[in-house]
Amino acid sequence: MTAAYRVFVAALPDVCPADRRRMVFTADAGGRCQVFTWDAAARRVRQVTDGPHGTVHRGIDADGYVWWFDEDPAGAGRWWFQHFDGGPRRPGQPGVPPGLPRGLAVTAEGTLATALTAEAGTRVLVGRRGGAVREVLRRTGPCRLGGISPDGSLIAVASAAQDPAAVSVVTRDGGTVAALPGPARPGGGLWCQGFSPSPGERELLLVRDVGERYALATWTPEQGLRTHHWCSFDTEVTARWYPGRREVLVRQDRHGRSLLHRVELGTRRRTLLPTPAGSLLDAAPAASGAVDYLWTDTAHPPVLRATDGIALPPAGPPVVVPGHHTDLWTPTGSGRVHTLLSLPDTTGDAPPPAVFLVHGGPADHDRDAYDGTVHSLVASGYAVVRVNYRGSTGYGPRWRRDFPAGVGHTQVEDLAAVRADLVSRGLIAPGATALWGVSWGAYLVLLALGRRPGLWQAGVAVKPVADWAAAHRATTEALRAYDVRLFGGTPEEVPELYARSSPLTYADSVTDPLLVVGATRDSKCPPGQIRAYLAALDEAGADHESLWLDTGHDGYDGAAHVAVLRRALTFLHARLPRAAARAAPGRPPAAAGGPRPR
């Protein structure tokens, strides 16, 4: 296969536990995400997959076998493996029916554990690499594989962080060793971070919500669950074990940027590691104590870096996003709302038209990180406004849980407050603002245009929730469970709350031009409820356009991303024509970077 590629995905290479010079990573190959190997000693790249729908899930085990998940357009498939140096491709679990991937773990001696979700629920399977497997457990609710102990005797299964049994530890025979509770208090949670990779250890690492902070926690069969209150953080964190040490690398998301901490559990020592300002999309420790990380900021695409200087897969040519990138804080009655603002290089004194790029989630946040859509918009003469509204991560538990005006309405309040603030400062044109969002962000676009008609002059909604009740009935089990936590019940139990937060309820109030993009294979934001919303716009005589993609919700095909980007830019140029006169010399790339994350 060809080894021509372009790095665009937000993930570090996976490193062979037995040989740091052998790595596996994903990158763009012909417009699709594929799996590659990187031999750091020889500085050689080899393409492993060429699936027609792209491949994103991958790994490498201690014996040097490369793993990848071969999936169909709906996301279902099976695990395969091949040696790092090449050779035959073999099914990882022969005879296992296809499912949705929910985790992969391989011990140093070759015990394989996976989790796959199908109609009958999620199955956790254990066996030898390429051999027969045994079902350890099956659950009807959403869950994922949380890890396997080095000796293969214990398996962690993670459910929703707020579940009464957020993390379960079971034996290879399916016997329950521990059921670790999620919420120690209303709204709390417990997140599984994996078993220590050190031989002979059976220690599980966790992150726990302890009120207004997040603390590290550990579990062992001998000592049970221990919360390390001395090592807590004011905003969200993820954590990884250092191989061969009782030390942890903590990556903290804080106010749109990242911090790295090295934590020594035995001595209770915590050290802030030096990293460049911006965002670390991923970080992983090595046995030597070195750290690999993926760094970016708004002006620069992701760059792989290693603190020990080992050669990492090379990136493409350097790219710099034009314009001026800064932060703003808007005071409101519920606290200060943080915004990342990108202003174009202008040719006049009038403030530019602005596009509010609304992030999804809602348990996510916009970062000081490269985004191809931001690049294209700024290069086209638009200001780009990224608001971390209430419900966003990166600002602590209270901000993440704060929904006083109700689902969606709270976030629309924050978007409107930031818009008013920017207009009053003379930073954006008051009569030329638009909203653009994907998934939950697209939902907020529809809700904002229906609840506050005339405030924005256009909207772009890509794969939105348009009717909460209809989406709930047709979506995945995991998202149905999330809906119940979000609204406090099912559509049958609290129908008025689902209706109040549904854009469909306000479709007849939409007066601003709207582009809606749906996906025919979308299981998260199903196409049926989008079609019903479009029909309601038709009945109301609203000015709208639609585009349909033959994809699922999460696609790895760059062509679909390019199609949406071009259609949306054309739509905005027609609706906010002042941008054409303000664009800086030169044209933006047709598709600057890969798809935006959900």
Side-chain angles (χ1 to χ4, degrees):
M1 294 180 204
T2 176
Y5 71 95
R6 181 167 61 92
V7 174
F8 71 82
V9 291
L12 281 176
D14 288 317
V15 178
C16 177
D19 187 348
R20 175 157 164 69
R21 298 168 298 176
R22 294 186 165 196
M23 306 180 190
V24 176
F25 67 101
T26 45
D28 182 314
R32 293 181 175 87
C33 184
Q34 303 292 357
V35 176
F36 294 80
T37 62
W38 169 248
D39 186 332
R43 295 178 180 263
R44 183 173 59 244
V45 172
R46 181 175 71 86
Q47 184 173 341
V48 178
T49 66
D50 61 354
H53 311 297
T55 309
V56 68
H57 303 284
R58 79 286 194 268
I60 183 170
D61 64 31
D63 290 329
Y65 285 99
V66 176
W67 292 84
W68 70 93
F69 193 79
D70 186 21
E71 60 190 80
D72 62 21
R78 300 177 176 87
W79 286 101
W80 289 74
F81 69 98
Q82 179 191 52
H83 197 268
F84 184 89
D85 296 322
R89 301 171 174 222
R90 298 173 57 193
Q93 297 172 316
V96 173
L100 301 176
R102 296 293 182 260
L104 166 79
V106 187
T107 69
E109 48 83 32
T111 298
L112 169 69
T114 66
L116 293 170
T117 297
E119 290 185 2
T122 298
R123 305 168 67 202
V124 177
L125 307 169
V126 175
R128 300 291 297 179
R129 181 194 305 117
V133 301
R134 181 178 67 257
E135 181 177 302
V136 173
L137 62 82
R138 182 182 302 218
R139 288 190 176 171
T140 56
C143 65
R144 66 174 178 84
L145 183 68
I148 186 169
S149 60
D151 63 2
S153 65
L154 297 178
I155 298 165
V157 180
S159 300
Q162 295 77 24
D163 282 0
V167 179
S168 299
V169 182
V170 300
T171 66
R172 291 175 59 171
D173 296 326
T176 299
V177 177
L180 308 180
R185 42 173 298 285
L190 185 72
W191 293 266
C192 182
Q193 308 293 292
F195 279 102
S196 167
S198 300
E201 296 294 332
R202 298 197 299 173
E203 187 169 19
L204 186 64
L205 180 64
L206 307 118
V207 171
R208 191 172 193 180
D209 182 334
V210 291
E212 295 305 314
R213 299 179 70 84
Y214 299 92
L216 295 186
T218 53
W219 175 91
T220 63
E222 297 77 21
Q223 295 183 324
L225 180 63
R226 299 174 60 198
T227 302
H228 302 282
H229 292 280
W230 60 270
C231 189
S232 66
F233 305 83
D234 62 348
T235 60
E236 285 76 5
V237 297
T238 58
R240 288 187 177 184
W241 290 101
Y242 276 83
R245 306 165 185 239
R246 196 164 182 265
E247 298 179 10
V248 174
L249 181 70
V250 175
R251 178 168 59 97
Q252 182 181 13
D253 291 323
R254 193 171 194 277
H255 301 176
R257 292 177 176 83
S258 304
L259 299 171
L260 274 186
H261 308 264
R262 182 170 183 162
V263 178
E264 301 174 36
L265 293 176
T267 61
R268 295 193 172 194
R269 182 180 178 186
R270 178 169 137 185
T271 305
L272 179 65
L273 301 180
T275 56
S279 292
L280 307 180
L281 302 180
D282 202 358
S288 64
V291 175
D292 302 336
Y293 60 88
L294 187 63
W295 174 87
T296 180
D297 66 9
T298 300
H300 302 90
V303 177
L304 294 166
R305 296 181 176 179
T307 59
D308 62 357
I310 191 171
L312 295 171
V319 173
V320 178
V321 179
H324 175 63
H325 312 287
T326 188
D327 294 53
L328 287 172
W329 294 82
T330 298
T332 72
S334 297
R336 298 193 308 156
V337 181
H338 183 209
T339 296
L340 299 168
L341 176 65
S342 295
L343 296 171
D345 294 322
T346 60
T347 57
D349 296 329
V355 177
F356 283 66
L357 205 57
V358 188
H359 75 72
D364 199 351
H365 64 277
D366 272 315
R367 299 161 173 82
D368 179 17
Y370 179 82
D371 185 312
T373 304
V374 173
H375 188 167
S376 296
L377 286 167
V378 172
S380 298
Y382 297 98
V384 178
V385 185
R386 293 179 288 168
V387 179
N388 282 325
Y389 47 72
R390 280 169 288 175
S392 302
T393 55
Y395 300 84
R398 180 179 298 177
W399 191 260
R400 180 172 52 84
R401 295 191 295 262
D402 194 16
F403 285 66
V407 175
H409 298 280
T410 297
Q411 291 71 40
V412 169
E413 283 184 0
D414 290 346
L415 292 170
V418 171
R419 181 193 177 280
D421 185 25
L422 296 181
V423 168
S424 69
R425 299 188 195 205
L427 294 172
I428 63 174
T433 59
L435 293 163
W436 181 339
V438 179
S439 192
W440 170 277
Y443 154 65
L444 293 180
V445 171
L446 300 186
L447 187 65
L449 295 188
R451 289 292 289 147
R452 304 197 179 207
L455 189 61
W456 285 275
Q457 282 65 58
V460 177
V462 182
K463 304 176 186 177
V465 172
D467 179 352
W468 276 108
H472 178 88
R473 297 183 182 104
T475 193
T476 65
E477 182 68 27
L479 287 178
R480 281 196 290 272
Y482 179 77
D483 293 346
V484 170
R485 293 194 300 272
L486 194 63
F487 288 101
T490 67
E492 291 70 32
E493 294 166 339
V494 286
E496 69 285 353
L497 296 183
Y498 280 75
R500 182 175 179 272
S501 291
S502 290
L504 182 63
T505 303
Y506 313 101
D508 59 357
S509 299
V510 174
T511 60
D512 308 297
L514 176 61
L515 169 63
V516 178
V517 180
T520 58
R521 304 173 187 267
D522 195 338
S523 61
K524 294 181 179 179
C525 298
Q529 47 100 31
I530 296 176
R531 296 186 192 279
Y533 180 79
L534 292 172
L537 293 180
D538 285 333
E539 186 175 347
D543 181 3
H544 70 283
E545 304 174 15
S546 62
L547 171 66
W548 285 94
L549 306 172
D550 187 23
T551 68
H553 191 83
D554 305 303
Y556 316 126
D557 187 342
H561 171 69
V562 172
V564 172
L565 183 63
R566 286 177 171 166
R567 179 68 176 271
L569 287 174
T570 300
F571 174 81
L572 290 176
H573 277 308
R575 305 301 181 168
L576 302 177
R578 295 176 57 200
R582 300 183 58 87
R587 299 184 62 180
R596 281 174 56 80
R598 182 175 185 263

